[in-house]
Amino acid sequence: MAARQYHLKFGPSAAASVDAYAEYKRIVGDDDGGVMFTPEQYEAYKKRVLPMRMKNRIFTSWVNPEGMDCKLVGPETLCFCNHRYRQHKTDFEVLPQDRPILLPCKVKGCGCYSYEYVPLNGSQSIRCTCKHFTEEHAAMSPHRCKNGKCGCSGFHSSYTCGCGNPYSSHHMLVETKDERLARGHPVGQDVPYQAMGGLTGFSSLMDGYMRLDPSGIGAPSQEFLEQPITASDHPFLRANVTSIKAHKMQQRALKGQPSGSEVDEDLAERMSAMRRPGETDMDYFERRYQERQKAERQQSRARVQAARQQAVGRRNPPLKPAKK
């Protein structure tokens, strides 16, 4: 039996209506109780809530011992109680003075007294050392196991974050805008949407160890960005090595700096990356590996020597000329 086909026709204003509804849900969330506000109720809600959100926004993140925001919590991020962040209290007429700031769950019957992020292992919940998932533990701390035959006294996981620290060393941080600025982390723009948590831009959707802003691993060093392109780099860089080198040589020429050494290094790297007659795959990779090891050792020696020279300079300051 052939499947039925439906042809839906939408008017020219359909896209605008969808956008208006999406805007409505971002602002109101579940505060309407499942029944949409009337236009008058919607305007009254915005007049009451939006100034409060713009002034008293709070930022929620899951932080490691080094202060990196490994996870910036957003509206749809799940809590240990298995409810979304937007289903917790995030709007405050007056910012609380007590620390930590508690964000209780608004779902009726839920015992969660404050939002607590729990990471996922892919699309699956992480396990406790008792082999049960997070859903099989109580929402209230210390999250005892619900399995009656299990002797687990609280949730403890061996999960390791991408930053290299274990789950147990992380903690929830709920902070105000001023407190976040004092840590040197970005706050983004003031937005009227509900439960934005720690989101400040598209990069906030990435984990901390992949994020290059101050809240993550940070921007790479100038030395890393200016290191020479080798055969082990990305094919895009190797394909554009000629134009990149030409640009660098032009910049050095404008500054009046010699560029001969730059060309020599590039030619040496290109010649080394070429296969030699009679060289097998294993011989080629071993030779390239040994060359990289040698280059790394030379760079390490140069850094140590520079550090020693700086230390000697600090211990032996230049003598002041004798007064006549």
Side-chain angles (χ1 to χ4, degrees), residues 235-261:
F236 176 82
L237 291 176
R238 289 188 276 116
N240 294 275
V241 66
T242 305
S243 58
I244 294 174
K245 294 294 183 183
H247 173 73
K248 288 185 177 181
M249 291 169 61
Q250 184 180 9
Q251 294 297 317
R252 293 170 68 91
L254 292 175
K255 296 179 181 179
Q257 299 174 351
S259 58
S261 60

Side-chain angles (χ1 to χ4, degrees), residues 265-295:
E265 292 177 4
D266 184 28
L267 291 176
E269 171 57 31
R270 289 187 180 215
M271 292 175 63
S272 178
M274 295 173 62
R275 292 289 183 94
R276 296 176 180 176
E279 192 174 37
T280 64
D281 290 344
M282 289 299 297
D283 293 337
Y284 170 77
F285 290 123
E286 177 63 23
R287 177 173 60 82
R288 295 294 292 162
Y289 172 76
Q290 295 298 337
E291 290 173 354
R292 287 197 299 270
Q293 292 288 96
K294 182 180 179 180

Side-chain angles (χ1 to χ4, degrees), residues 6-296:
Y6 296 91
H7 299 277
L8 302 178
K9 294 184 178 181
F10 298 97
S13 63
S17 300
V18 172
D19 292 339
Y21 179 74
E23 182 84 359
Y24 171 88
K25 291 302 292 181
R26 292 191 190 103
I27 294 175
V28 177
D30 296 332
D31 289 350
D32 57 4
V35 180
M36 286 191 65
F37 289 148
T38 62
E40 294 78 14
Q41 291 174 331
Y42 184 39
E43 292 300 323
Y45 177 86
K46 289 195 292 184
K47 289 181 180 179
R48 178 177 62 86
V49 173
L50 297 195
M52 179 171 57
R53 289 179 184 166
M54 303 288 279
K55 180 181 178 182
N56 297 331
R57 178 181 171 179
I58 56 172
F59 296 81
T60 308
S61 52
W62 193 56
V63 184
N64 72 359
E66 288 77 33
M68 180 195 297
D69 297 336
C70 291
K71 177 66 178 180
L72 293 170
V73 176
E76 301 297 328
T77 310
L78 284 173
C79 173
F80 202 104
C81 68
N82 212 31
H83 295 124
R84 309 281 180 182
Y85 178 69
R86 59 179 171 79
Q87 296 174 290
H88 292 71
K89 178 179 175 60
T90 56
D91 295 329
F92 295 90
E93 295 183 6
V94 180
L95 289 172
Q97 299 298 321
D98 298 334
R99 295 293 182 274
I101 300 175
L102 301 181
L103 308 176
C105 187
K106 297 187 292 185
V107 177
K108 187 176 181 180
C110 182
C112 174
Y113 65 86
S114 185
Y115 180 88
E116 183 177 353
Y117 170 75
V118 59
L120 296 175
N121 186 11
S123 61
Q124 191 179 53
S125 303
I126 60 175
R127 293 179 184 268
C128 176
T129 52
C130 70
K131 306 302 182 183
H132 295 120
F133 292 106
T134 54
E135 296 86 352
E136 300 174 274
H137 289 74
M140 296 182 64
S141 184
H143 309 297
R144 291 186 173 86
C145 190
K146 297 178 183 178
N147 193 325
K149 298 180 181 180
C150 182
C152 174
S153 60
F155 185 83
H156 302 283
S157 178
S158 60
Y159 172 85
T160 300
C161 176
C163 69
N165 291 291
Y167 166 81
S168 57
S169 66
H170 291 70
H171 66 279
M172 290 301 306
L173 180 61
V174 183
E175 56 190 345
T176 63
K177 183 177 182 178
D178 292 338
E179 291 170 345
R180 187 167 179 81
L181 286 172
R183 288 206 299 143
H185 289 195
V187 296
Q189 299 178 351
D190 295 329
V191 291
Y193 304 132
Q194 184 186 59
M196 288 301 291
L199 301 186
T200 58
F202 283 110
S203 63
S204 302
L205 302 177
M206 304 180 71
D207 291 337
Y209 72 96
M210 295 187 290
R211 222 169 37 248
L212 300 183
D213 62 9
S215 68
I217 196 171
S221 63
Q222 194 71 17
E223 179 185 1
F224 175 82
L225 294 175
E226 294 181 352
Q227 61 184 344
I229 300 173
T230 65
S232 59
D233 281 315
H234 193 276
F236 176 82
L237 291 176
R238 289 188 276 116
N240 294 275
V241 66
T242 305
S243 58
I244 294 174
K245 294 294 183 183
H247 173 73
K248 288 185 177 181
M249 291 169 61
Q250 184 180 9
Q251 294 297 317
R252 293 170 68 91
L254 292 175
K255 296 179 181 179
Q257 299 174 351
S259 58
S261 60
E262 188 85 7
V263 177
D264 293 341
E265 292 177 4
D266 184 28
L267 291 176
E269 171 57 31
R270 289 187 180 215
M271 292 175 63
S272 178
M274 295 173 62
R275 292 289 183 94
R276 296 176 180 176
E279 192 174 37
T280 64
D281 290 344
M282 289 299 297
D283 293 337
Y284 170 77
F285 290 123
E286 177 63 23
R287 177 173 60 82
R288 295 294 292 162
Y289 172 76
Q290 295 298 337
E291 290 173 354
R292 287 197 299 270
Q293 292 288 96
K294 182 180 179 180
E296 290 174 0

